[in-house]
Amino acid sequence: KYGRIVVAQTSMLLGIPFICVLVNAIPYDWKLWWVYALVGGAMGLVIAWPPANNSTILSDIFPQRLHAHAFAIQYWIEGSIASFSPYVIGDMTKEVFGGGDVTPPGGEEEWARFPWERKEKALKGLAASITFVGSLFWGVAPFFYILLYVHYPSRSRSLNT
């Protein structure tokens, strides 16, 4: 009855510790690529659950003639919010977390000339802003599912046939 809702909420909440470990806990060392791959792969498996559940829930609640509209509205809202993330993360890295410019005008050549301390400061600022933005949205998003605990069981066509 509530399985899809719980799975979607759990998936989003589990994304928070994964993002914290992925960008903050693992040392910045290329020799640890396999740790990044394991944590990133596990994170990818866990955070991939909501889209399938959202599609199933929307298909189950709305009549078939409204599916295109329901999906379009959901993806429009989700995409509109997500499109601002790179800007917000970049701005926060520079202005809030003091990381400076992670992508200098000189590109990779200029980055290569930076001392390690400067690179580490930029990476830590970037990690802090990714953690903040990811945790904020993954922490807030599960609350939007709360109304489904009331409305989904009563409006679900598959549960009521």
Side-chain angles (χ1 to χ4, degrees):
K1 186 169 161 174
Y2 299 116
R4 292 178 179 147
I5 304 165
V6 171
V7 165
Q9 286 180 308
T10 302
S11 174
M12 284 182 272
L13 292 173
L14 284 175
I16 296 171
F18 272 109
I19 196 72
C20 291
V21 169
L22 190 66
V23 299
N24 294 306
I26 305 171
Y28 303 125
D29 185 356
W30 68 270
K31 294 174 189 161
L32 296 173
W33 67 267
W34 60 274
V35 178
Y36 281 99
L38 283 173
V39 173
M43 179 180 169
L45 289 174
V46 171
I47 66 170
W49 300 338
N53 282 320
N54 291 347
S55 299
T56 306
I57 290 169
L58 288 173
S59 297
D60 203 22
I61 291 177
F62 292 98
Q64 190 170 3
R65 64 184 168 77
L66 294 177
H67 282 183
H69 296 294
F71 285 103
I73 290 170
Q74 183 222 340
Y75 293 129
W76 171 64
I77 293 170
E78 191 175 322
S80 296
I81 293 170
S83 69
F84 288 101
S85 294
Y87 170 76
V88 170
I89 287 171
D91 205 43
M92 287 181 72
T93 299
K94 243 196 293 194
E95 304 299 329
V96 177
F97 295 109
D101 196 357
V102 181
T103 54
E108 194 174 328
E109 290 176 11
E110 186 176 350
W111 177 261
R113 290 191 303 266
F114 285 163
W116 172 247
E117 294 78 23
R118 168 68 176 89
K119 291 178 186 177
E120 189 173 36
K121 183 178 178 184
L123 292 172
K124 285 185 179 186
L126 181 62
S129 56
I130 289 172
T131 302
F132 177 80
V133 171
S135 298
L136 175 69
F137 285 108
W138 281 335
V140 170
F143 290 103
F144 289 102
Y145 284 86
I146 290 175
L147 289 174
L148 287 174
Y149 285 106
V150 175
H151 294 288
Y152 184 63
S154 64
R155 295 182 185 205
S156 170
R157 291 188 310 247
S158 64
L159 290 176
N160 294 315
T161 54

